[in-house]
Amino acid sequence: MPGDSASGATLHTIVAVMSFLACLTLGAVLTLSRLAADWTEGLSGSVTVQLLPSPQISPEDQMKEALRLVQQWPGIFAAKPLGRAEAEKLLEPWLGEGNVIGDLPVPQLIEVTLTPGKPVELEGLGKALADGVPGAHLDDHKRWNEELASFAASSEAVGWAVLLLIGVATLAIVIYATQAGLQAHREIVEVVHMIGARDVFIASEFQRHFLWLGLRGGLIGLTLAIATLLGSSFFVDSREAPVGAQYMPQFVTAPQHYIWLFFVPVVIGLIAMYTARFTVLRVLGRMP
Amino acid sequence: MVRFENVGMRYGLGPEILRDVSFTLEPGSFHLLTGPSGAGKTSLLKLIYLAERPSRGAIWMFDREIATTPREELPALRRRIGVVFQDFRLLDHLTVFENVALPRRVMNELESSYRAEVEELLSWVGLGNRLNAKPATLSGGEKQRVAIARAVVAKPELLLADEPTGNVDPDIGGRIMRLFIELNKLGTSVLIATHDQRIMERVPAQRLFRLAEGRLTTANAADAVLAEAKRA
């Protein structure tokens, strides 16, 4: 195959843009997955007792009474009062790490772990708490869990759909580019074919060319995407960010998420390579 | 080595370019294919180097009937044929050396196994000092010699040349013909398509194939037809 031509440079740019979009979309999907996991992890298999300040009972007695009631209820595995630091940690998925305002009136909380596989009469427990402990309220997370699971699932589905569309678009571009490349180099293909080259030899020349093209374009897109993600994190952390931006979830915070992004150029390169091989073999198959 | 029996050929749904073509090329033979422009010389060569398929008739190449030969076995047959194209068909992005070495490379040979042979061959055609030149920088005669070197580098059993002296001056044309004769003496069968009168004068009449309006006659056959007509 001849070296890079003007059309090759255009193709590089297009592949880089597709890779950039794929990396950003994958980053968004991974972030959504992580958020959904964070949201639901602490909520399933457990309930929370909130103790709001009440004039009828002191906070210490309120906590003692509520703990006693919960611990003797059938099907309860453990009941653990949470300090303020732990209560703030529970708010992190919503408010971000270290962003809980100091004077926020955080209620006393008891984290109640349910015995796995054992039915618990939560409605009765809630009623017993409401009747027996002033200011006590049982939150079984059910409504939250359902809504969050539904939101996370639909968001993830949209993300995967966009990723799929980008994949299909990349495939179409590579097919078109390969066919255009074959047309531009038809003379070369014919000569090499006529001097006795086997189809797989010619196809391997094309597939190697398009593998490198896909990898190079993909790496350029990945680099731009990582720069964008790091840039957005830096912006959110910076003083110039608008008020409230700090409470937004950050894209791709875990190192393993960046590892997944590195698969994007590899996948694009492989798509380009196999598409080129398939297309070239199909075109050559029509020759004598 | 090559046998055509009542071969006809047309492009798509167009008229027949070749009609009832029958001939045989024996190993070590030397033939010229003549005829006016548009008579079908290039099409006939394309059939021999397996670039086209006949629309009817049968072709045997190296004792294989082409119509029944699996497609994946055709490259091996093509490697036994060297072709000098009328328009050279050198690959512009490759150097002179790489162009000539291409038939060896497609056989998956290592460069170390053919480098010396290619260099020697290029010296033989007077291009030993242009190994790294690109075709765009060569004259017509030099391109012709690169094309010839490429055609013979894999030691083909059959060499086909389409108007090999059409683009060069008489002196280089003479050198090219001497080269073909030398190769023929070494055992390579040669078929040259040409309408160069000077070449035809140097070759015995029985080695002449004449193509006109898609039909092929040998000089002997033409003489026989003429004699028959006279007797009648």
Side-chain angles (χ1 to χ4, degrees):
Chain A
M1 288 284 295
D4 287 341
S5 57
S7 61
T10 309
L11 196 59
H12 262 124
T13 308
I14 293 170
V15 171
V17 170
M18 300 310 291
S19 168
F20 175 72
L21 293 175
C23 285
L24 285 189
T25 311
L26 183 60
V29 171
L30 291 172
T31 303
L32 274 172
S33 294
R34 179 177 57 81
L35 285 178
D38 283 352
W39 287 337
T40 54
E41 189 185 1
L43 298 177
S44 59
S46 68
V47 294
T48 307
V49 177
Q50 292 182 35
L51 302 173
L52 301 173
S54 169
Q56 300 167 29
I57 190 168
S58 69
E60 292 76 17
D61 289 346
Q62 191 186 31
M63 175 62 78
K64 199 184 294 177
E65 189 59 24
L67 269 177
R68 186 189 62 75
L69 218 160
V70 168
Q71 280 167 343
Q72 67 185 23
W73 196 264
I76 300 300
F77 181 75
K80 184 180 129 194
L82 300 183
R84 181 174 171 91
E86 286 171 297
E88 286 180 3
K89 196 168 171 55
L90 277 178
L91 292 171
E92 274 180 11
W94 288 272
L95 301 180
E97 194 175 342
N99 290 320
V100 178
I101 302 162
D103 55 357
L104 191 72
V106 178
Q108 292 193 95
L109 296 172
I110 302 172
E111 186 186 1
V112 182
T113 307
L114 310 180
T115 307
K118 197 168 180 182
V120 184
E121 180 40 271
L122 288 175
E123 206 171 314
L125 177 60
K127 194 167 184 308
L129 279 167
D131 293 345
V133 186
H137 169 71
L138 180 75
D139 182 1
D140 63 1
H141 312 154
K142 194 179 172 188
R143 187 174 61 82
W144 268 102
N145 248 340
E146 286 172 357
E147 287 183 7
L148 282 176
S150 168
F151 173 71
S154 56
S155 302
E156 269 190 87
V158 169
W160 286 116
V162 172
L163 202 60
L164 184 69
L165 281 176
I166 288 173
V168 171
T170 307
L171 196 68
I173 287 169
V174 171
I175 290 172
Y176 174 79
T178 310
Q179 287 174 339
L182 259 182
Q183 201 57 42
H185 302 120
R186 192 173 181 83
E187 171 85 7
I188 298 172
V189 173
E190 281 178 4
V191 169
V192 179
H193 179 66
M194 286 312 133
I195 62 176
R198 295 187 186 281
D199 291 356
V200 288
F201 176 89
I202 301 172
S204 68
E205 294 288 312
F206 270 86
Q207 70 190 51
R208 193 163 48 237
H209 177 80
F210 278 88
L211 171 66
W212 284 114
L213 193 151
L215 281 177
R216 279 200 300 264
L219 281 172
I220 292 169
L222 172 70
T223 307
L224 291 174
I226 287 178
T228 304
L229 294 170
L230 290 176
S232 71
S233 299
F234 178 76
F235 174 73
V236 166
D237 292 342
S238 72
R239 287 167 183 269
E240 286 77 22
V243 175
Q246 290 84 350
Y247 304 128
M248 296 293 290
Q250 289 185 4
F251 278 108
V252 193
T253 49
Q256 67 265 28
H257 289 171
Y258 282 99
I259 291 171
W260 281 111
L261 295 186
F262 276 96
F263 282 102
V264 171
V266 175
V267 169
I268 287 178
L270 290 175
I271 288 174
M273 185 181 87
Y274 282 107
T275 306
R277 180 181 177 84
F278 175 75
T279 310
V280 171
L281 288 177
R282 193 161 50 90
V283 170
L284 283 168
R286 294 194 204 114
M287 293 184 182
Chain B
M1 175 175 276
V2 178
R3 184 151 61 94
F4 275 46
E5 282 188 5
N6 301 315
V7 169
M9 182 195 162
R10 65 173 81 236
Y11 291 103
L13 298 173
E16 269 203 325
I17 303 294
L18 299 171
R19 296 173 204 159
D20 298 316
V21 172
S22 299
F23 68 93
T24 302
L25 293 181
E26 299 295 341
S29 61
F30 191 107
H31 286 89
L32 295 185
L33 176 64
T34 69
S37 295
K41 298 191 294 292
T42 300
S43 296
L44 181 57
L45 291 185
K46 281 183 176 177
L47 284 177
I48 301 175
Y49 64 75
L50 307 175
E52 296 288 347
R53 293 190 176 111
S55 46
R56 61 189 174 88
I59 297 174
W60 277 266
M61 298 287 299
F62 307 107
D63 300 324
R64 300 291 301 270
E65 209 275 301
I66 295 304
T68 58
T69 301
R71 190 178 173 281
E72 58 269 23
E73 291 180 21
L74 295 182
L77 295 182
R78 289 193 185 99
R79 291 173 187 180
R80 299 167 74 175
I81 306 167
V83 185
V84 183
F85 299 100
Q86 186 174 8
D87 53 355
F88 317 133
R89 304 188 79 168
L90 302 178
L91 305 188
D92 289 335
H93 65 288
L94 300 182
T95 63
V96 164
F97 175 85
E98 289 166 338
N99 264 287
V100 173
L102 200 56
R104 305 290 292 268
R105 207 185 132 205
V106 302
M107 293 179 190
N108 287 322
E109 288 187 38
L110 294 173
E111 187 181 323
S112 56
S113 70
Y114 58 72
R115 178 153 200 106
E117 281 180 60
V118 172
E119 287 177 355
E120 186 184 340
L121 185 58
L122 280 168
S123 296
W124 193 49
V125 296
L127 292 170
N129 58 343
R130 305 300 306 273
L131 295 181
N132 296 315
K134 291 286 178 74
T137 65
L138 302 178
S139 69
E142 287 173 326
K143 285 179 185 173
Q144 186 76 284
R145 281 178 278 160
V146 174
I148 292 168
R150 184 180 65 186
V152 302
V153 72
K155 302 182 181 68
E157 294 166 55
L158 172 62
L159 178 66
L160 306 173
D162 194 359
E163 302 286 0
T165 57
N167 298 295
V168 294
D169 59 52
D171 180 46
I172 291 177
R175 285 174 62 183
I176 288 170
M177 280 310 296
R178 281 196 293 279
L179 181 61
F180 288 148
I181 291 166
E182 287 300 315
L183 287 166
N184 180 243
K185 284 179 183 169
L186 292 171
T188 304
S189 300
V190 178
L191 176 62
I192 301 170
T194 183
H195 55 255
D196 188 333
Q197 197 62 37
R198 290 163 302 173
I199 294 178
M200 284 186 262
E201 286 167 1
R202 295 171 59 174
V203 175
Q206 63 269 29
R207 292 181 176 178
L208 226 58
F209 291 146
R210 187 174 296 280
L211 198 56
E213 295 180 348
R215 292 185 186 279
L216 187 79
T217 54
T218 61
N220 288 345
D223 291 345
V225 170
L226 197 61
E228 186 69 26
K230 281 178 181 171
R231 275 199 297 277

